[in-house]
Amino acid sequence: DAGVTQSPTHLIKTRGQQVTLRCSPKSGHDTVSWYQQALGQGPQFIFQYYEEEERQRGNFPDRFSGHQFPNYSSELNVNALLLGDSALYLCASSEAGGLAGFYEQYFGPGTRLTVT
Amino acid sequence: DAKTTQPPSMDCAEGRAANLPCNHSTISGNEYVYWYRQIHSQGPQYIIHGLKNNETNEMASLIITEDRKSSTLILPHATLRDTAVYYCIVRLPTGGGNKLTFGTGTQLKVEL
């Protein structure tokens, strides 16, 4: 059983460009969360998707948007890239009904985004 | 979610117990303590969680003080593969989805 997968593994973009990162959740999971991890820092929550809707959002600007598909996979889009967007972007999935109770989150290996 | 304080780094000899402390003096009565770890170049991994009683699983033990203001994660026989950043997180078990608020954690280095 494959765990959480993310693509691409690494990505280099230029300031002002747009980027799309992809995540496939662990089998049986329907809730997907995205985190940004700057170098030397802990992951910071961006937003969470459940039933194809954004259910919760962290303190990130509207340049960060996402989408969840009927098969529960998800995309993270970042527009007008800034140098400060360089980070490891982590996707995490959890079981059905992820809005209540504790459901262990399984993290993917992340996508390393470098903005030059 | 309550704030946590952890030492930035710790060392441990392989085969010895690693005891990682966490201070959460502002924890409320219904908040749980969770521990995750992140091995270099990987995503965080859930370890254990608890409310007030000590908990143990195949990975670690969690000791929570009676006043719940601090806790200790214990890796009973640390190996080189336990070298990682360990995060202590305090949060409610229900509501708010599964948002996790990470601090900077403790970098544990296990050495021969």
Side-chain angles (χ1 to χ4, degrees), chain A residues 21-107:
Chain A
L21 310 181
R22 296 176 175 80
C23 171
S24 291
K26 182 178 170 63
S27 178
H29 289 183
D30 66 355
T31 303
V32 174
S33 300
W34 287 91
Y35 292 79
Q36 179 195 65
Q37 185 172 25
L39 199 61
Q41 302 297 315
Q44 300 300 304
F45 177 78
I46 302 175
F47 44 53
Q48 179 183 82
Y49 277 83
Y50 173 62
E51 293 187 329
E52 302 181 45
E53 291 189 10
E54 183 183 296
R55 298 291 183 162
Q56 193 176 16
R57 189 178 183 91
N59 188 26
F60 279 81
D62 292 343
R63 298 186 297 108
F64 290 78
S65 63
H67 187 77
Q68 185 178 37
F69 299 93
N71 67 352
Y72 309 123
S73 67
S74 177
E75 289 182 349
L76 164 66
N77 301 292
V78 186
N79 295 321
L81 284 167
L82 303 174
L83 295 179
D85 295 330
S86 295
L88 179 68
Y89 288 85
L90 294 159
C91 169
S93 72
S94 58
E95 288 184 14
L99 295 179
F102 171 69
Y103 294 90
E104 178 184 341
Q105 290 194 58
Y106 290 79
F107 284 80

Side-chain angles (χ1 to χ4, degrees), chain B residues 45-64:
Chain B
Q45 175 192 25
Y46 165 79
I47 301 173
I48 198 168
H49 75 285
L51 180 63
K52 58 177 69 175
N53 299 318
N54 298 338
E55 303 287 345
T56 296
N57 63 19
E58 65 279 2
M59 290 183 67
S61 295
L62 174 60
I63 308 298
I64 303 174

Side-chain angles (χ1 to χ4, degrees), chain B residues 60-72:
Chain B
S61 295
L62 174 60
I63 308 298
I64 303 174
T65 59
E66 190 169 345
D67 63 7
R68 301 206 329 115
K69 293 184 177 182
S70 65
S71 60
T72 300

Side-chain angles (χ1 to χ4, degrees), chain B residues 4 7-8 13 17 20 28 34 39 44 53 57 59 64-65 74 93-94 96:
Chain B
T4 62
L20 293 98
S28 64
Y34 298 83
I39 296 170
N53 299 318
N57 63 19
M59 290 183 67
I64 303 174
T65 59
I74 301 172
T94 59

